[in-house]
Amino acid sequence: MTLKLGVNIDHIATLRQARREAYPDPVDAAAVCLSTGADYVVVHLRKDARHIQEKDVARLCKNFPGQIHLECSCSPDMEKTALKYKPFSVCIVPEEPGEVTTTGGLKFTPKTTKRLLEMIEHLHKKHIRVSLFVSPTAADIRTAAKLGADIVELCTRDYSEAKNAKQTQKLLQDLALATLLANELGLEVHAGHGLDYHNVLAVADIGGMTCMNIGFSIITRSIFAGLPVAVSEMKGLL
Ligand code: PXP
């Protein structure tokens, strides 16, 4: 099976919000991503709506049915939004106020598991596929399977921040073992966070992985890939 690519376009909206302009428009970015190789477009609707806004989710889901993967917390408000716009899939992630980015996988406590179970049931009733963002540990994979998730997205943050080759190998092994177990339990496996042009292949090579969700490295690369054209077009006008 060909490995799929989900492109996270949150930071297109970060740029737009910096000037409170109507552009760059995440819908335009989604069209570019989907016409150049992305299989899915990923957006994280945060409680503080600092980049992606609810209206972006509405327009993206309307324009690209079957291709929007929404990341959100398990709050009742986020559940309501997901049920309203019906993205292809929802990845439930932990969210802490003030965090710069998602810091790791979900923490399964009795309270959170009860809430997750409820949200997963509601999403399934609307035929929305559910992914849980988890650390690559056997315990968390088993919990995700018990809760009825369709997908686990393995957090690659620790892997992407490994300090040396030995640590990298150990973290890759954890990801491989987690993938094996998840597949045995009938879960589809995605990976994401901190993946870039240098570190992605070792993860992509793990048998049983089906999708890489990548944002920051692609969006930042696009600036330097596009800046020469943008500057020379302007100079050409003058
Ligand atoms: N997957 C999840 C669950 C995330 O929270 C993020 C970050 O928003 C990503 C993937 C993409 O991470 P990055 O922007 O570092 O590629």
Side-chain angles (χ1 to χ4, degrees):
M1 205 214 298
T2 333
L3 198 60
K4 298 218 174 349
L5 171 65
V7 179
N8 181 311
I9 58 167
D10 290 350
H11 296 305
I12 297 291
T14 300
L15 207 53
R16 177 192 61 190
Q17 295 309 108
R19 287 282 290 259
R20 304 285 188 273
E21 286 285 358
Y23 66 94
D25 184 346
V27 169
D28 292 340
V32 172
C33 294
L34 292 168
S35 64
T36 51
D39 298 283
Y40 302 105
V41 162
V42 185
V43 287
H44 185 170
L45 180 62
R46 287 185 167 271
K47 185 169 189 276
D48 63 11
R50 65 180 184 231
H51 39 58
I52 292 294
Q53 316 279 300
E54 183 177 334
K55 62 180 190 302
D56 296 323
V57 176
R59 292 169 63 237
L60 287 163
C61 290
K62 184 162 178 263
N63 281 280
F64 309 102
Q67 292 177 296
I68 302 302
H69 183 66
L70 174 68
E71 292 176 1
C72 64
S73 74
C74 65
S75 77
D77 281 351
M78 287 299 157
E79 177 187 312
K80 222 162 108 185
T81 304
L83 293 173
K84 184 168 175 190
Y85 300 113
K86 297 194 202 69
F88 176 67
S89 46
V90 166
C91 180
I92 307 177
V93 298
E95 198 177 297
E96 294 299 328
E99 69 187 2
V100 171
T101 182
T102 313
T103 54
L106 290 160
K107 302 269 178 286
F108 295 113
T109 65
K111 194 172 159 208
T112 57
T113 46
K114 185 167 173 279
R115 170 68 198 130
L116 287 167
L117 196 59
E118 203 172 71
M119 182 160 167
I120 293 169
E121 272 177 21
H122 296 162
L123 292 168
H124 278 166
K125 272 197 192 133
K126 294 278 181 187
H127 309 290
I128 300 168
R129 304 192 78 221
V130 183
S131 174
L132 297 182
F133 188 52
V134 297
S135 303
T137 68
D140 287 359
I141 305 289
R142 287 188 201 284
T143 304
K146 269 198 209 129
L147 288 171
D150 306 287
I151 306 162
V152 276
E153 180 170 333
L154 302 180
C155 177
T156 48
R157 181 176 184 167
D158 288 350
Y159 161 75
S160 72
E161 292 178 357
K163 299 275 177 289
N164 52 51
K166 195 172 159 207
Q167 226 178 60
T168 302
Q169 282 317 309
K170 154 84 177 80
L171 292 162
L172 273 175
Q173 199 179 26
D174 291 349
L175 289 165
L177 289 172
T179 304
L180 196 68
L181 175 62
N183 284 167
E184 269 174 21
L185 295 171
L187 293 160
E188 188 177 314
V189 182
H190 296 186
H193 202 99
L195 296 176
D196 61 28
Y197 295 85
H198 305 287
N199 65 20
V200 71
L201 285 185
V203 179
D205 278 348
I206 295 172
M209 282 277 177
T210 57
C211 185
M212 304 282 111
N213 290 324
I214 308 178
F216 196 70
S217 64
I218 294 178
I219 301 304
T220 52
R221 165 96 184 96
S222 75
I223 294 174
F224 291 105
L227 199 53
V229 178
V231 172
S232 55
E233 264 184 11
M234 183 56 81
K235 185 70 179 173
L237 285 177
L238 302 177

